[in-house]
Every structure is written in C-alpha cells, then in structure tokens.
Amino acid sequence: DADKSSAGEDSDNECDSLASPTKERDQSNDDTEPMEALCLHRFQADFHTKERLGTVRPYANKIVIFGAVVVTTLIITGCTLYSFSLEVMGLVGIAVESGQDFAEAKTNHNLFTLVGVIMEEARFLDTGRYYVGLGTLCALLILTTLIVPIVQVWVLVRQWLPPPLEK
C-alpha cells in the first residue's frame, strides 16, 4: 500500500478534494500549527530512508465511516439486548416460583433494565441521599457504557476526516 511520493498527488483522491488549504482552515491561530486530518497524512513506509511515503487509498474514508456506523450500531445493540440474568435459588426461589405458577424465577436484564432496577431500589429506600447516590451511579453506568464509546468513535472519525469546507 505504500506508494512513491509522487503517486499520492492524484486528483481522484477524494480526501484531497474535501480538504481546504491549511492557511484557510486555521486563520484564527497563527501561533499554532493546524491539525492535519489523518486521511491527508503521508505515512513513512520505510523507516531507514525517508524516500517512500504511503498515502491513504480513496476508498478508506468510506470504510472508516461505515466502520463507525457499524460500531455505533453494535454498541447500541449490545446495550439493549439482554446480557445477563438473575435467578433466585433455594427456598426463596421456590416461594417466588410458586407465586408465579411455578414459572422459573429468572429475570433477564440489559443496561436499561439494570438502571431501572437500581432506581427501583432508590424508590424503595425513599430517601433523598439514595436517590442522589443511586441516580449518580445510573448516570455513570449509562455514560460509560453507552455514550462515551459512541462519542469516542465519532471523535476518531472526525480526526480521520478533514474539516468541511467553509464558504
């Protein structure tokens, strides 16, 4: 995949056509060097000599965006599908099963039902500090398992792609 340094200058590279010149992208900060999109970067293919530089293929941007959509979908699916179950065993389990017409005393949970169970515990305890503490726990659980991974995927896509052209 490594091309000679002149091979990456074709006009058919869609990443090059999306990018604006460096000076136009960052007129506000003259002191700092603007961040270069990774799709525009010329990667060094041979570390002993600096003659061979590799560039990104034109279809790589589409693969990156498709991968981000797939990962986002998988994260959301993983949070909504049942991932674990709680089963009541022993004498208490037999008592629960008898109250349910001897159906199995097993409950399946996903991220959102787990948050519901935690908040149900706060409602049962009915004290302000438990609402705050368990509510914070629920917020952190959703934040760290759902929101942060999705944001991280799209921040990495933003690093890969050049900024949109400004009119």
Side-chain angles (χ1 to χ4, degrees):
D1 287 328
D3 298 329
K4 292 285 184 187
S5 61
S6 63
E9 298 172 6
D10 295 338
S11 62
D12 63 333
N13 188 345
E14 69 183 45
C15 194
D16 289 338
S17 66
L18 292 174
S20 60
T22 304
K23 292 177 184 172
E24 291 178 14
R25 277 190 280 165
D26 191 27
Q27 292 176 348
S28 61
N29 294 340
D30 295 332
D31 308 5
T32 62
E33 188 174 317
M35 296 295 291
E36 178 185 20
L38 290 176
C39 69
L40 300 174
H41 186 74
R42 300 179 63 84
F43 297 94
Q44 187 175 344
D46 187 9
F47 291 103
H48 300 294
T49 63
K50 295 188 179 197
E51 295 173 5
R52 297 184 62 191
L53 295 176
T55 58
V56 176
R57 304 267 181 190
Y59 54 82
N61 293 339
K62 292 176 181 139
I63 291 173
V64 167
I65 292 173
F66 178 73
V69 169
V70 167
V71 168
T72 301
T73 304
L74 289 174
I75 290 170
I76 292 170
T77 303
C79 289
T80 55
L81 291 178
Y82 293 123
S83 55
F84 69 97
S85 63
L86 296 175
E87 186 171 1
V88 182
M89 307 289 273
L91 293 175
V92 175
I94 293 172
V96 170
E97 287 175 359
S98 68
Q100 299 176 350
D101 296 328
F102 293 98
E104 192 174 6
K106 187 175 184 179
T107 335
N108 294 321
H109 291 284
N110 62 21
L111 175 69
F112 302 109
T113 59
L114 179 63
V115 167
V117 167
I118 293 172
M119 289 310 295
E120 187 179 320
E121 179 73 20
R123 281 189 292 277
F124 176 75
L125 296 172
D126 199 29
T127 306
R129 65 181 183 194
Y130 292 120
Y131 279 109
V132 171
L134 293 174
T136 303
L137 177 67
C138 291
L140 285 173
L141 185 65
I142 289 176
L143 188 72
T144 58
T145 57
L146 180 67
I147 296 171
V148 169
I150 292 173
V151 169
Q152 184 177 14
V153 166
W154 290 102
V155 165
L156 291 173
V157 168
R158 174 64 187 90
Q159 276 184 316
W160 178 261
L161 296 176
L165 295 173
E166 296 180 14
K167 292 182 179 184

